[in-house]
Amino acid sequence: MKESKPKKPLVSVVIPSYNSQKHIELCLSSIFQQETSFSYEVIVVDSSIDTTASIIKQKFPQVRLLSQSQKTLPGAGRNIGAAAAKGKILMFLDSDCIALSHWLEIAVHRIHEGWPLVGGGVLNANPHSIVSRADYLLTFNESLPILPRRKVQFWPSCNFACTKEAFEKIGGFNSSIFIGEDTLFCRQALQYYDLLFEPSMQVAHHN
């Protein structure tokens, strides 16, 4: 009797990581608690010098851990993860974010409706801090979950989904800059596609 081959994932969740030991367990737990009607994989591109890799290996052996020998900027990490992804749909999440329930399902539903790129709403994961609240409002004022679903010019790279085909057509992220790579990505994407903001596709970000 032939052994059945593992089912190819529809979605690949890509997480760039550098010294993420404080948040990586919460981040990964939130992904594996998702209830979905499809298969998915989780890829962490990690260049940490702390205990992040050890936490992943011990507590999340199902994660595809792509360890890098030197510090990898977020854009470069996303590109590495996307290149290794087996899924037709890519979902990008930052290591200091927590995915809320139905995060995966909502994103896939919108993409199947014909939106190749979908960005989601961002909540504040540590609202008790005044500094955090200020940073949150300054950084994510265009991605507040209270805003309506609409076409936009930009959404942050900590929470978005796209088809792998669209990602490759856009050319991925600029891998040489530390900040602003999401702005450049969206600007390049607008040459080919509309960008949808879906407020119910939510993550909570530690500011």
Side-chain angles (χ1 to χ4, degrees):
M1 187 175 183
K2 292 184 178 180
E3 294 184 4
S4 59
K5 293 182 179 179
K7 191 174 181 181
K8 187 175 180 180
L10 173 66
V11 177
S12 297
V13 180
V14 176
I15 304 169
S17 168
Y18 178 72
N19 290 353
S20 305
Q21 63 183 15
K22 185 177 180 181
H23 300 299
I24 195 65
E25 186 173 351
L26 287 172
C27 176
L28 293 174
S29 293
S30 73
I31 299 171
F32 289 115
Q33 289 169 4
Q34 301 277 312
E35 294 184 6
T36 69
S37 57
F38 49 81
S39 60
Y40 62 93
E41 64 174 350
V42 179
I43 300 170
V44 177
V45 182
D46 182 60
S47 58
S48 300
I49 56 174
D50 63 3
T51 62
T52 300
S54 296
I55 293 170
I56 294 172
K57 290 175 183 178
Q58 292 173 11
K59 298 189 176 183
F60 305 96
Q62 67 271 53
V63 166
R64 292 179 62 194
L65 178 61
L66 305 183
S67 297
Q68 307 301 301
S69 59
Q70 58 185 9
K71 184 177 179 179
T72 304
L73 295 176
R78 295 186 192 101
N79 290 343
I80 292 168
K86 299 176 182 178
K88 292 183 177 181
I89 296 173
L90 305 175
M91 290 198 68
F92 295 94
L93 183 69
D94 282 0
S95 60
D96 56 0
C97 288
I98 300 168
L100 273 64
S101 61
H102 307 298
W103 177 68
L104 283 166
E105 283 280 358
I106 293 168
V108 169
H109 181 69
R110 293 291 172 234
I111 286 179
H112 284 167
E113 284 183 338
W115 297 93
L117 294 103
V118 184
V122 180
L123 295 162
N124 188 355
N126 51 329
H128 53 278
S129 163
I130 294 175
V131 174
S132 168
R133 292 200 298 270
D135 181 49
Y136 169 68
L137 292 173
L138 286 170
T139 305
F140 300 111
N141 59 84
E142 295 182 21
S143 299
L144 302 178
I146 60 172
L147 295 174
R149 181 186 305 139
R150 67 200 190 281
K151 293 181 185 179
V152 294
Q153 299 292 305
F154 167 82
W155 23 242
S157 51
C158 67
N159 177 22
F160 84 97
C162 67
T163 64
K164 191 171 186 181
E165 180 182 9
F167 186 85
E168 291 173 347
K169 184 173 182 177
I170 294 164
F173 285 90
N174 185 311
S175 61
S176 62
I177 59 176
F178 181 70
I179 58 173
E181 82 282 356
D182 46 5
T183 301
L184 292 177
F185 178 87
C186 289
R187 182 178 296 176
Q188 184 72 11
L190 286 167
Q191 297 182 38
Y192 308 103
Y193 305 103
D194 290 325
L195 306 184
L196 178 70
F197 173 68
E198 172 51 68
S200 66
M201 188 181 106
Q202 296 177 8
V203 304
H205 181 271
H206 286 92
N207 300 284

